[in-house]
Amino acid sequence: MTKICVLAGDGIGPEIVAQALRVLAKVGERFGRSFEIENALIGGCAIDATGGPLPQETVDKCRASDAVLLGAVGGPKWDDLDPAIRPEKGLLGIRKELVLFANLRPAKLFSELRDACYLRPDITAKGLDVMVVRELTGGIYFGEPRGEELREGKRVGWNTMIYHEDEVRRIGVVAFEAARKRGKKVCSVDKANVLDVSRVWRAVMREVAAQYPDVEFSEMYVDNAAMQLVRDPSQFDVMVTGNLFGDILSDEAAAITGSIGMLPSASLGSGGPGLYEPIHGSAPDIAGQNKANPLATILSISMMLRHSLGMAEEADAVDAAVEKTLAQDYRTGDIMQPGAIPVGCKEMADAVLANI
Ligand code: IPM
Ligand code: MG
């Protein structure tokens, strides 16, 4: 029996998660697997119910599971709260609690959605299949000292971007291992022309690279990397970078595919349960209207099967079902194309189910 802890969260979170779980149940049926689902609160709904975005009970339930599936957190209702208890703190908190230091964010262009891509056809003709490996529990997101205060009557705020060599090494290893299973190229992204923290990052990354002579290694400053991603994304296979740069570059990589509603992610630690979630947010404007695209969450189930549960065949079946559904021209609003069949969140999942 495989235990999955489900954190549906806010906005469209509950509806996309509900549809993805139907797909998981179908996978169970088809492959003779049983999944036990445990629900827990995170984000705004947790604030409403308990006063905080990450109740201890949620952390305990996650720890007791084999993997965690998350929908999305946040929404305008909680935007004006004290920053210490905002919904986003729940997400940062669970990453830290489960030591999910490696965030894998694949951004690829589905051939059926080629027309949705924001880049010129001559650029996408060369392919777009990038895996951003983002360090997730360190860097400026968590560095101390941090704070805000009044200095001589003027407001100042500060954060600290800090990396310990062990943190760099472990994310480096994840990136190179991932590259070995893909295009065998790693590009490490930093700002070593300006930042001391990046010079340590770079030195350690070179040591890791030396252990992987079969993987082609390159380095790039983050400003150039942002530009190269739109100019010629085909040059990249795996990009490995720190928490803040990874936050930005993964949105950029996802957005240029034109289908942020399609992209899953995995957050992995060492040993404990991994956490899987769509890259997109809680989309409060369309919540509860059966309009959301469930495919990113369904593909997150596939990543969960593959990376945490050792069920590669099951994962392949989900991926193939999604591709087939797209080939059958089913489209939610975010990926709508002329002549395609418009469907809602549930109907999209129905189509995937039928293809499993
Ligand atoms: C992401 C999000 C989060 C982050 C926010 C919601 C805290 O942007 O997962 O990329 O910055 O990590
Ligand atoms: Mg982000």
Side-chain angles (χ1 to χ4, degrees), residues 157-185:
W158 66 96
N159 289 86
T160 302
M161 191 185 279
I162 179 167
Y163 272 113
H164 186 290
E165 66 170 299
D166 294 348
E167 291 176 306
V168 181
R169 196 167 289 114
R170 68 181 181 180
I171 193 70
V173 167
V174 169
F176 279 89
E177 291 292 335
R180 269 191 176 158
K181 296 187 197 131
R182 304 173 32 106
K184 297 198 166 47
K185 288 204 290 187

Side-chain angles (χ1 to χ4, degrees), residues 53-74:
L54 185 64
Q56 184 59 40
E57 192 190 339
T58 298
V59 176
D60 295 341
K61 282 182 177 174
C62 288
R63 285 215 176 100
S65 66
D66 296 296
V68 180
L69 179 69
L70 189 140
V73 297

Side-chain angles (χ1 to χ4, degrees), residues 88 91-92 95 105 134 136 141 243 247 250-251 277:
E88 289 79 3
L91 192 53
L92 297 178
R95 288 172 181 169
R105 298 191 162 181
R134 167 190 178 194
L136 202 59
Y141 270 56
N243 207 340
D247 178 45
S250 62
D251 263 28
E277 59 176 317

Side-chain angles (χ1 to χ4, degrees), residues 136-155:
L136 202 59
T137 49
I140 197 167
Y141 270 56
F142 295 95
E144 299 282 348
R146 61 193 300 162
E148 279 178 63
E149 68 184 24
L150 280 177
R151 290 185 188 168
E152 288 156 14
K154 300 285 184 191
R155 285 160 294 177

Side-chain angles (χ1 to χ4, degrees), residues 259-312:
S259 47
I260 192 158
M262 294 292 304
L263 301 176
S265 75
S267 302
L268 307 174
S270 33
L275 182 147
Y276 298 82
E277 59 176 317
I279 271 182
H280 61 71
S282 60
D285 53 319
I286 57 163
Q289 299 167 39
N290 193 38
K291 284 183 182 166
N293 184 348
L295 293 179
T297 318
I298 291 171
L299 290 168
S300 297
I301 293 268
S302 156
M303 285 192 97
M304 170 189 288
L305 292 164
R306 199 180 300 283
H307 294 280
S308 281
L309 307 180
M311 300 184 189

